[in-house]
Amino acid sequence: MLGELTLPQTYESWTRRLLRWHGVAQYTVALGTLVGVAFLCAMMLSKPVFLGSDSANNYAHVWYISDQVFHHARLPLHVTSLESGRALTFPYAVVPWAVTAIPFALIGDRAVTMAMVGGFVFYAYAAVRARPALRDPRLLALVLANTFLIEGLVSFQLPFIYACAFFFMFAACVDARRWAIAAGWALLAVTTHPFAGAAAVAGYTIFVCARRPRDILPIAASTGFVAFFLIPFALYIHSTPSVATTRQSELIGTLKFITRFRGSVVVAPLVVSAFAPVLRPAFLPALVAVALLFMHRIDNKQVNTFGLDRNSHPFYSEFLKSPQFDTSLRYRVLEPNDREDGAYQLMRHHVVLAQEFFDQSQFRRWWSSPEQYACFLGAKHIDVVLLEKDYPLKFSQNESVRLSDFEEQGKVSIVYRDPRGRFAAYDVRGVRQDGAKFSDCKL
């Protein structure tokens, strides 16, 4: 009789021990994941200028806003140094850039790096505010270990991550029925990233209307108020040169990319909290799945980690001091997109660039004929092309071949060659097709 009682008691004891150790393992791994994410943020904070696919755009705009406000007492709507003066000062990120411009005047580029990391932390805070279930470190670890969120951080997608954070604050206020404050967060989300912010706000609005029909009127009034105030901003950003010179199919492709990959950054906190009862006991296998996806994207070089182990060393200083440098000319800079600190350096020396930092403005492409390239140079009003040595290694296009061929034909000349062989400056005024329009170039 005693033996029959001992076996169930022993089994129950081992079950309790197993569950206890499973819980300890879960929280240990979760906290380790959060510490790892914090270490990643610390690595970024250690660099005044962090090199990433989208970083130069943020540094350049924040510098320009700060310079104009604190040194010229004005805030123009266009950047004189980008796209030959036609680029917008605020194509997005209105509040994040404007706020970061204040400490930039005191601590320089490091303010932008801090703003990027601050946006990531704000994203975590806002997600927890919107979905209190994420206070569980296991669930929060699943959200922050999302490969697409980490990619957004190391790629320096500052406007997108801030827009997501603003959206979650909007969702929290909508759930609390604080309609006026919700409208303010919605306005911030859309002006920070028009596509991602608008899609997230609209999607959640539809969700709330379907789930709580009695809230349709107040939330409709709230979002309608926001839409009214967004009309001038919508007209403003539609005037950006990148839109006018990009085919509609390419713009749609970019939006599809954002929806497919970055969309998980918006959806993940909502899904994880909704499935919290399932994910808590299954945390370890769920985290393994997240880690495997991240490793797969790392192995396939789909995650740009260039800035984590490299520092910014722009190398145009000697050229800027040389007699060949002419401030009256417009420059096209060909450099890898994860180290555009060269273009940023030129911009800070008030060089007029014939491009923005957006891919749609860069025109990294295969030039089908010399005539097409000459037409492009004329349409962009480009005087000098700065071709960096590493550009053809990053983008296997044929622009370097076109320039070399024109040089052999005597139609362009190399006016400056970096002593260390890092770049060459091509004067293309002799070959460009003056007066050309983009419609003439079949781009």
Side-chain angles (χ1 to χ4, degrees):
M1 181 65 68
L2 291 176
E4 293 177 0
L5 294 174
T6 302
L7 185 60
Q9 291 174 352
T10 303
Y11 176 77
E12 184 178 346
S13 175
W14 276 103
T15 300
R16 286 199 302 268
R17 289 183 181 180
L18 184 62
L19 291 174
R20 184 169 63 251
W21 281 107
H22 178 252
V24 170
Q26 280 189 321
Y27 283 100
T28 300
V29 172
L31 293 175
T33 301
L34 296 177
V35 169
V37 172
F39 179 75
L40 178 63
C41 292
M43 289 181 65
M44 294 186 64
L45 288 173
S46 68
K47 303 174 185 291
V49 174
F50 185 84
L51 297 176
S53 301
D54 296 333
S55 62
N57 188 35
N58 293 283
Y59 287 105
H61 279 265
V62 172
W63 164 78
Y64 181 76
I65 295 165
S66 182
D67 177 70
Q68 293 296 308
V69 170
F70 291 100
H71 295 122
H72 302 284
R74 63 187 181 189
L75 185 55
L77 295 179
H78 294 83
V79 183
T80 56
S81 299
L82 292 177
E83 198 69 59
S84 300
R86 294 178 294 123
L88 304 185
T89 304
F90 293 105
Y92 51 24
V94 177
V95 170
W97 282 351
V99 171
T100 307
I102 299 172
F104 188 97
L106 299 175
I107 61 177
D109 293 320
R110 196 174 291 278
V112 186
T113 309
M114 294 173 64
M116 178 69 258
V117 175
F120 182 82
V121 174
F122 183 33
Y123 170 92
Y125 167 78
V128 172
R129 279 289 303 273
R131 291 296 182 267
L134 298 181
R135 292 173 183 169
D136 186 327
R138 296 170 296 180
L139 301 181
L140 184 60
L142 287 175
V143 169
L144 297 186
N146 178 5
T147 179
F148 301 107
L149 176 61
I150 298 299
E151 289 175 34
L153 175 63
V154 298
S155 295
F156 224 90
Q157 295 169 5
L158 184 150
F160 173 70
I161 289 182
Y162 267 98
C164 292
F166 292 143
F167 159 70
F168 286 122
M169 295 301 293
F170 161 78
C173 290
V174 166
D175 291 342
R177 293 183 171 86
R178 302 171 69 182
W179 306 114
I181 300 177
W185 289 117
L187 188 63
L188 287 174
V190 178
T191 55
T192 301
H193 198 290
F195 176 73
V201 168
Y204 199 75
T205 299
I206 294 172
F207 168 77
V208 170
C209 289
R211 189 177 181 184
R212 304 198 306 259
R214 66 181 182 277
D215 289 337
I216 291 178
L217 185 59
I219 198 172
S222 178
T223 54
F225 174 82
V226 172
F228 176 78
F229 275 91
L230 283 173
I231 293 175
F233 181 68
L235 295 174
Y236 171 64
I237 63 173
H238 189 266
S239 67
T240 180
S242 295
V243 172
T245 59
T246 304
R247 283 183 288 186
Q248 187 175 5
S249 59
E250 295 180 1
L251 288 175
I252 293 175
T254 300
L255 298 180
K256 286 182 178 179
F257 174 83
I258 294 175
T259 303
R260 180 181 175 187
F261 294 103
R262 299 187 191 178
S264 69
V265 178
V266 178
V267 173
L270 306 178
V271 172
V272 168
S273 62
F275 290 91
V278 176
L279 291 174
R280 285 192 182 99
F283 164 71
L284 293 177
L287 186 64
V288 168
V290 171
L292 288 175
L293 176 60
F294 185 69
M295 292 172 60
H296 171 74
R297 293 183 63 80
I298 287 282
D299 290 340
N300 286 276
K301 298 182 179 181
Q302 295 172 306
V303 182
N304 192 332
T305 59
F306 183 85
L308 292 177
D309 58 354
R310 294 172 178 84
N311 296 316
S312 172
H313 295 294
F315 44 68
Y316 286 105
S317 297
E318 295 178 16
F319 172 62
L320 292 169
K321 297 175 183 177
S322 71
Q324 290 83 7
F325 172 64
D326 188 345
T327 57
S328 66
L329 301 180
R330 296 184 180 93
Y331 293 81
R332 171 169 169 80
V333 185
L334 300 178
E335 58 189 344
N337 65 333
D338 50 12
R339 62 202 93 160
E340 293 178 314
D341 51 343
Y344 175 44
Q345 179 190 27
L346 293 170
M347 183 180 170
R348 292 196 63 164
H349 283 79
H350 306 287
V351 173
V352 177
L353 303 180
Q355 65 204 54
E356 294 184 73
F357 291 96
F358 296 120
D359 290 338
Q360 292 82 1
S361 177
Q362 299 285 344
F363 284 90
R364 306 183 188 100
R365 55 168 295 149
W366 187 271
W367 301 98
S368 58
S369 68
E371 293 75 20
Q372 184 188 46
Y373 184 54
C375 180
F376 165 77
L377 294 173
K380 276 276 193 176
H381 309 288
I382 297 169
D383 299 310
V384 177
V385 175
L386 298 174
L387 173 63
E388 296 188 8
K389 179 185 66 175
D390 291 339
Y391 177 79
L393 302 178
K394 176 74 173 182
F395 300 103
S396 54
Q397 308 295 349
N398 68 337
E399 188 159 355
S400 58
V401 176
R402 293 292 178 214
L403 289 169
S404 179
D405 290 344
F406 282 138
E407 183 198 4
E408 291 179 1
Q409 297 167 13
K411 297 179 179 179
V412 306
S413 60
I414 297 180
V415 295
Y416 183 88
R417 194 182 294 275
D418 179 56
R420 302 182 192 178
R422 295 169 295 186
F423 72 94
Y426 291 82
D427 187 332
V428 297
R429 285 175 289 179
V431 74
R432 73 182 183 192
Q433 183 181 331
D434 291 331
K437 299 179 181 179
F438 276 95
S439 57
D440 302 328
C441 305
K442 299 180 180 179
L443 294 172

